[in-house]
Amino acid sequence: VYLRYGMIVVDKPPGPTSHEVVAWIKRMLGVSRAGHGGTLDPKVTGVLPVALERMTRIIGTVMHSSKEYV
């Protein structure tokens, strides 16, 4: 039940795409829907917010909020 309203913050390593990370999370947790709040290039490391199930509805808000790349 809690996964339906969950958000996971991933420290994405270099290598996988953001889409691959989301696919792994879906498989590991057995959820049908997940979405990330911003695309990171495969070579880049960084914070990747991943919304699960019903929480995917707010991912647009995350996508349009201000971000800073260092």
Side-chain angles (χ1 to χ4, degrees), residues 5-20:
Y5 300 96
M7 176 84 73
I8 296 175
V9 180
V10 178
D11 183 8
K12 189 190 92 53
T17 64
S18 297
H19 182 75
E20 287 175 315

Side-chain angles (χ1 to χ4, degrees), residues 37-66:
T39 302
L40 296 174
D41 292 331
K43 295 179 183 178
V44 174
T45 65
V47 174
L48 183 68
V50 179
L52 306 174
E53 298 289 351
R54 295 191 64 174
M55 196 61 120
T56 57
R57 296 175 183 181
I58 66 132
I59 209 67
T61 304
V62 174
M63 292 287 291
H64 294 100
S65 62
S66 62

